[in-house]
Amino acid sequence: MAMADSGALVGHGRLAVDSGTGRAHGKAILLGEHAVVYGAPALAVPIPFLTATARATRVPCPDDGGEGISFTIAGPGPAASAPLPGDGTRQMLAEFREATGFSDDLCVDVVVDCAVPQGRGLGSSAACARAAVLALADLCGFGLDAATVFRLVQASENVAHGRASGIDAVATGSDSPVLFRSGVVQELSTNFEGRFVIADSGVGGSTKEAVELVRRRFEHDAQAKEEFVSRASGLTGGAVRDLEQGDLAGLGARLTENHVLLQELGLSTDRIDRLVAAALMAGSPGAKISGGGLGGCVIALAGGPGAAEELGRTLREAGATRTWIVPMRRLASHVD
Ligand code: PMV
């Protein structure tokens, strides 16, 4: 499915009800982050139990007119309960108005309850934006198609990341693992039995800074860029085959190799490297940093549920502040 193709709007656009709701979830990138910004494929899995839910409620307009739409974000993390209308949200709202004809003189409160921790490479900005877009559309009685939702979430993500590939905008709304390349999405139906343990290093990273660091690194070194994109593309392509063949060892080796590529770009941290080493020492087939980097989370591969529980324990003993277990398929999930 190509996300840029459509833009159709189904619905009447009048406020049909007094409130609307929207929902999205977190995601973890298995392979290909950063390279995906430069056209390489990347693989991501949804984290269905880390949710962002939004409610858009029509409210009386303030006497001074105000902003029309106000945003509040609630949930864990430093920005809990802080008002949200950052530049990304403003851009998203401007495009929402343009796409839907949403009237300027309607006043709406949007409250996003976000369980996706911020700054951990788990897609919190995209999940918040997606939930908000869907809540506003629900309030107005619009049925936005997938391409329009993608475009609106991307409007916010491009500001949040500086330059966003679109993988977060897609994966935070997908029920399946996705292979994403240059706006084209393939949902993978896989029976791969492995599980991924996600371990929070306890230190947040800024995706925007990380994307900018990589951009500066490549600005004057086209060969380094080409090599990184080509090696990451090869790893992601190989990983898709590993998943098809159920090759746990092969997939693990590619994860660790991808970690080294990201480490060489300066995107890892001592804490993250220690967690990766602890996972490998404990017998994980492979582990890496996941997402933007400069902090955030490690993703480590495990076999069955017992091995994943054990690996989670090991990672917490090695300093992870919390761990989650994510299956490759959308199955039962576990939170510590
Ligand atoms: O939001 P994060 O930290 O998971 O980063 C997304 C992945 C990047 O490749 C670093 C950026 C992008 O837009 O693809």
Side-chain angles (χ1 to χ4, degrees), residues 10 57 83 108 131 147 160 189-190 194 203 241 269-270 294 310 336:
V10 185
T57 310
V108 176
S189 58
T190 165
V203 177
R241 290 193 296 280
T269 65
D270 290 347
L294 302 177
E310 187 56 43
D336 287 307

Side-chain angles (χ1 to χ4, degrees), residues 24-27 52 114 116 122-133 153-154 156-157 160-161 166-173:
H25 50 68
K27 66 90 216 356
C114 195
V116 187
L122 300 179
S124 69
S125 58
C128 281
R130 172 174 274 274
V133 163
V153 177
Q154 268 298 85
S156 166
E157 282 293 276
H161 290 187
I167 190 166
D168 285 11
V170 166
T172 52

Side-chain angles (χ1 to χ4, degrees), residues 27 29 32-37 120-125 157 161 163-168 207 210-211 290-293:
K27 66 90 216 356
I29 296 183
E33 56 273 268
H34 288 286
V36 68
V37 173
R120 298 303 197 268
L122 300 179
S124 69
S125 58
E157 282 293 276
H161 290 187
R163 178 176 167 185
S165 65
I167 190 166
D168 285 11
T207 303
V211 167
S290 179

Side-chain angles (χ1 to χ4, degrees), residues 68-90:
I69 302 179
S70 75
F71 268 84
T72 309
I73 184 165
S81 302
L84 184 70
D87 292 345
T89 311
R90 281 183 213 285

Side-chain angles (χ1 to χ4, degrees), residues 171-258:
T172 52
S174 173
D175 291 338
S176 315
V178 291
L179 178 66
F180 179 92
R181 179 177 210 160
S182 302
V184 180
V185 185
Q186 190 186 337
E187 294 202 332
L188 301 179
S189 58
T190 165
N191 289 323
F192 186 74
E193 285 301 332
R195 282 157 170 72
F196 297 95
V197 178
I198 298 171
D200 187 350
S201 70
V203 177
S206 157
T207 303
K208 190 169 190 161
E209 271 174 37
V211 167
E212 175 59 15
L213 183 146
V214 174
R215 190 194 67 74
R216 280 202 310 269
R217 168 87 175 79
F218 290 157
E219 199 173 26
H220 303 294
D221 194 344
Q223 197 183 337
K225 174 172 144 185
E226 209 174 295
E227 266 171 35
F228 172 70
V229 171
S230 150
R231 288 174 67 190
S233 300
L235 292 173
T236 303
V240 173
R241 290 193 296 280
D242 295 334
L243 288 169
E244 281 163 9
Q245 293 162 10
D247 184 351
L248 206 69
L251 178 63
R254 290 185 219 279
L255 290 177
T256 309
E257 221 181 296
N258 198 165

Side-chain angles (χ1 to χ4, degrees), residues 245-304:
Q245 293 162 10
D247 184 351
L248 206 69
L251 178 63
R254 290 185 219 279
L255 290 177
T256 309
E257 221 181 296
N258 198 165
H259 178 69
V260 174
L261 289 184
L262 296 164
Q263 198 185 34
E264 284 169 359
L265 283 176
L267 294 164
S268 192
T269 65
D270 290 347
R271 270 172 183 261
I272 297 271
D273 288 344
R274 275 200 296 277
L275 290 174
V276 168
L280 298 177
M281 280 283 289
S284 164
K288 66 183 273 292
I289 192 167
S290 179
L294 302 177
C297 289
V298 161
I299 187 162
L301 182 57

